[in-house]
Every structure is written in C-alpha cells, then in structure tokens.
Amino acid sequence: MANAMAVQVTIYLNETDQWRRRPLHMEILNYLRKENVYAATAVHCVAGFLGRQQVHTSHLVEAGGKLPVIIIFVDTDDHVSRVLPTLKEMAAHRLIVRENVVLEQGNLD
C-alpha cells in the first residue's frame, strides 16, 4: 500500500555500549525481532560522533570501540509505542528519535 503512514525510530549508539554484558545493538535487534517489529537494521558507521564529542573514524588506531552504531526500525505507531519503553530502558543514555514517515513502496503486512 503506497503512501501509507508508518513510524521510523533511529537509535544512536556506539559499538562499546552494552546491555547485560552483551553488545547493545545486538540485544536491541534481538528484542525487536522477538517483538515482531516489521523491519530493523543496525548500521556500523565508519565515522561519526555522539554527544558533541570528537569525531571518531575507522582509520584511527585510537578509535578503540567508539565508532557509532545506528539502529533504524519501522513499524506501525501502535507497535512502536509498545516497544519504546523497553528500548528507552536498554539505551537510557543514548539518543532515540521517532518520526512519522510515508511508505513510498511496500507495506507493513
């Protein structure tokens, strides 16, 4: 159904973030899958910064685990509202952005 409305959430992490001694980005993806979220992906960035800190790149030896990881997922408003409280707990110290989007192609069925 083209031009249907959906919600996209973007979570900004870094590769050293953890949840219960496991990589946070993987724990979030596993949680989203378990909760049957329609689509989610984690992007390991080659450069970036979080919290107004210095820019880290994959080319610097001293980057040492501070590269950004971005998780993006899309689903209906109701489904996103249901999973967000747990995500806010898991990534309590990180930026989470929620925005309404238009599906140009495909659907959430």
Side-chain angles (χ1 to χ4, degrees):
M1 174 189 282
N3 296 321
M5 295 301 295
V7 175
Q8 178 173 295
V9 176
T10 306
I11 305 171
Y12 295 86
L13 309 171
N14 75 43
E15 60 191 350
T16 59
D17 289 335
Q18 293 193 353
W19 174 255
R20 298 179 180 161
R21 299 184 196 171
R22 295 185 179 139
L24 180 58
H25 65 281
M26 289 304 300
E27 290 299 301
I28 289 174
L29 285 177
N30 289 331
Y31 169 71
L32 293 173
R33 181 67 199 118
K34 184 182 94 184
E35 292 297 319
N36 205 30
V37 166
Y38 184 75
T41 190
V43 179
H44 193 244
C45 302
V46 297
F49 63 93
L50 292 168
R52 296 187 180 94
Q53 296 182 9
Q54 75 181 40
V55 174
H56 296 279
T57 71
S58 60
H59 302 294
L60 295 176
V61 173
E62 67 271 9
K66 295 188 179 179
L67 292 173
V69 175
I70 298 170
I71 295 178
I72 302 167
F73 70 94
V74 177
D75 211 321
T76 63
D77 184 56
D78 289 343
H79 208 163
V80 168
S81 294
R82 194 179 86 239
V83 299
L84 266 179
T86 299
L87 295 173
K88 288 178 181 179
E89 179 185 347
M90 293 174 80
H93 59 295
R94 293 299 183 206
L95 180 65
I96 299 175
V97 177
R98 174 187 179 145
E99 55 192 322
N100 294 328
V101 296
V102 176
L103 298 177
E104 290 293 328
Q105 183 170 312
N107 58 55
L108 298 179
D109 294 334

